[in-house]
């Protein structure tokens, strides 16, 4: 089932955005963030991992230096979206190496999210797709949904996919009766979203030139994720 209008969900006054890595907030939710900011509403973005694993072969960019750079890029991107003065939290879990569920590090991260949820009191949470091919996206979904349960708060939840269309198996897609598709027209904010994505220069440019096997967003991926609509999935009521 598809909703092609402006979903009522996006009337939310307080939106919690969950980004597994710095750049996912712009690629997946940049239009929603920019729209919310333009309407004078509040967002709080949680960056779950440090993003430090994208260029492991670089001799000049250590993991620590890259992680610090990616935090700067994340803040620059929020500025591009009009949310430069909105709150954000960096959990700084290891990119591509998030702690397993119910370990000490996982419990510590969950406690931080529980406190964010209690303090911010979101009406809407934008989560990575629960079966996204990238494990950090799946693990971020699990961490935050567990925190929402512990916080005894159940705001509306919508999920966005980053890598599903390119890398996902057929059984990773929404199943019959599982989700309702929600499409958000971001035409008015499309340019800002593209500028925000470009602000992640370590992932989109030749900033890091000494790791030929390092990760870089390709133009086709950027084009796919910066079109005039953002697609979200809302769990069906049981």
């Amino acid at each position: 089932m598809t909703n092609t209008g402006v979903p009522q969900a996006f009337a939310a006054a307080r939106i919690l955005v969950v980004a597994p890595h710095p750049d996912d907030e712009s690629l997946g939710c940049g239009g929603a963030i920019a729209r919310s900011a333009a309407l004078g509403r509040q967002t709080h973005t949680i960056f779950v991992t440090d993003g430090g694993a994208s260029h492991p072969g670089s001799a000049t960019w250590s993991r620590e230096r890259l992680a610090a750079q990616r935090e700067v890029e994340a803040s620059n991107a929020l500025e591009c979206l009009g949310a430069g003065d909105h709150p954000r939290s960096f959990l700084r879990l290891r990119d591509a190496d998030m702690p397993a569920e119910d370990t000490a590090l996982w419990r510590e991260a969950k406690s931080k999210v529980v406190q964010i949820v209690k303090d911010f009191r979101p009406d809407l949470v934008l989560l990575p797709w629960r079966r996204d091919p990238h494990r950090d996206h799946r693990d971020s979904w699990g961490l935050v949904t567990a925190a929402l349960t512990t916080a005894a708060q159940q705001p509306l939840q919508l999920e966005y996919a980053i890598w599903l269309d390119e890398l996902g198996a057929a059984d990773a897609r929404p199943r019959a009766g599982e989700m309702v598709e929600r499409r958000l027209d971001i035409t008015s904010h499309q340019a800002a979203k593209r500028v925000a994505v470009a602000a992640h220069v370590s992932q989109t440019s030749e900033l890091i030139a000494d790791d030929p096997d390092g990760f870089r967003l390709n133009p086709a991926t950027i084009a796919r994720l910066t079109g005039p609509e953002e697609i979200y999935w809302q769990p069906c009521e049981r």
Side-chain angles (χ1 to χ4, degrees):
M1 178 178 177
T2 301
N3 182 314
T4 56
V6 177
Q8 182 63 30
F10 290 96
R14 304 172 73 80
I15 301 177
L16 182 66
V17 178
V18 180
H21 314 91
D23 75 9
D24 290 317
E25 83 299 330
S26 296
L27 291 166
C29 311
I33 294 171
R35 180 179 181 274
S36 179
L39 292 171
R41 297 168 184 165
Q42 192 72 241
T43 59
H44 186 134
T45 304
I46 297 177
F47 296 96
V48 179
T49 75
D50 61 13
S54 65
H55 292 77
S58 174
T60 57
W61 285 82
S62 66
R63 185 184 184 106
E64 293 73 23
R65 182 186 180 194
L66 179 53
Q69 168 69 19
R70 296 201 68 180
E71 289 196 15
V72 172
E73 293 171 1
S75 293
N76 290 344
L78 291 177
E79 185 74 34
C80 295
L81 296 170
D85 60 346
H86 291 207
R88 77 290 310 260
S89 299
F90 295 94
L91 299 186
R92 301 188 177 101
L93 299 179
R94 283 179 62 84
D95 181 7
D97 189 26
M98 283 183 62
E101 183 176 352
D102 213 30
T103 59
L105 282 176
W106 186 90
R107 290 194 296 271
E108 179 183 354
K110 189 184 84 162
S111 294
K112 292 178 181 177
V113 178
V114 167
Q115 194 60 54
I116 291 167
V117 170
K118 288 182 175 179
D119 291 343
F120 185 62
R121 304 183 310 281
D123 306 303
L124 170 65
V125 181
L126 302 181
L127 292 154
W129 172 235
R130 63 186 67 192
R131 291 191 295 275
D132 190 283
H134 196 305
R135 60 159 287 192
D136 287 348
H137 291 235
R138 301 191 302 271
D139 290 349
S140 294
W141 178 88
L143 174 68
V144 176
T145 54
L148 289 169
T149 298
T150 299
Q153 295 191 35
Q154 290 298 319
L156 182 63
Q157 298 169 39
L158 301 180
E159 301 177 27
Y160 64 93
I162 298 294
W163 297 110
L164 183 61
D165 287 344
E166 291 183 31
L167 304 174
D171 61 0
R173 300 193 67 82
R175 299 157 186 159
E178 182 183 26
M179 296 280 167
V180 177
E181 185 182 273
R182 304 296 189 190
R183 291 177 177 261
L184 179 66
D185 183 345
I186 63 162
T187 305
S188 299
H189 307 289
Q190 191 175 3
K193 176 171 178 170
R194 289 174 173 168
V195 173
V197 171
H200 293 278
V201 291
S202 67
Q203 310 299 296
T204 61
S205 76
E206 296 180 356
L207 176 69
I208 303 176
D210 63 345
D211 184 2
D213 297 321
F215 174 80
R216 183 171 174 179
L217 284 163
N218 66 56
T221 298
I222 294 173
R224 176 175 61 81
L225 292 169
T226 57
E229 291 183 314
E230 287 179 346
I231 299 173
Y232 298 86
W233 288 312
Q234 178 181 344
C236 294
E237 294 184 4
R238 299 296 182 182

